[in-house]
Amino acid sequence: MSECLFCKIIAGEIPSNKVYEDDRCLAFYDIDPQAPTHFLVIPKEHIPSVAGVDASNAAVVAHIFTVIAQQAQRLGLDSYRVVSNIGEQAGQSVPHLHFHVLAGRDMTWPPG
Ligand code: AMP
Ligand code: ZN
């Protein structure tokens, strides 16, 4: 059994509030939302972070961005931010590639 939290969510061993699922990715609401709408999109394949993306697995990243665009449209989000933290200093706490989708409030730039 994988010790990875998000692999456990994919396997259904830990529940999640799903936004969307297909054979390649899962989208679910963040348990600690940082905006009125805050969900995560993850590949079903375990990739540790953006730093682990290469030619052999990049197709799922392109797929995830089509899912983000579709789900944002379905949820009526006309402005939103997509974020991926890579490594501890950037704030990554779960070592399974994920894209945060945040919407519903004014955002500052640059991010803190
Ligand atoms: P990061 O800190 O960028 O690695 O993002 C990990 C995100 O996963 C955080 O925003 C957490 O709130 C979120 N998270 C942790 N555990 C769960 C869970 N069981 N269900 C949903 N989101 C979670
Ligand atoms: Zn994983």
Side-chain angles (χ1 to χ4, degrees):
M1 191 177 78
S2 172
E3 286 309 306
C4 170
L5 173 67
F6 286 175
C7 282
K8 287 182 178 173
I9 287 177
I10 290 161
E13 291 161 16
I14 293 173
S16 66
N17 187 3
K18 286 180 193 175
V19 173
Y20 173 84
E21 182 171 19
D22 64 26
D23 58 327
R24 286 179 282 171
C25 73
L26 175 67
F28 55 99
Y29 287 104
D30 198 291
I31 204 167
D32 181 22
Q34 301 301 312
T37 299
H38 183 181
F39 61 89
L40 305 172
V41 190
I42 67 175
K44 290 197 167 174
E45 171 188 358
H46 181 90
I47 300 169
S49 75
V50 168
V53 176
D54 60 23
S56 75
N57 59 22
V60 74
V61 178
H63 176 64
I64 281 172
F65 274 82
T66 69
V67 167
I68 289 170
Q70 284 167 355
Q71 294 307 306
Q73 190 175 26
R74 185 180 69 80
L75 295 168
L77 310 179
D78 53 6
S79 183
Y80 53 98
R81 183 171 287 179
V82 180
V83 176
S84 192
N85 299 319
I86 297 101
E88 248 176 72
Q89 191 176 27
Q92 184 177 10
S93 61
V94 179
H96 180 127
L97 177 63
H98 51 282
F99 295 93
H100 298 258
V101 181
L102 302 125
R105 64 166 170 80
D106 293 343
M107 309 253 172
T108 58
W109 191 263

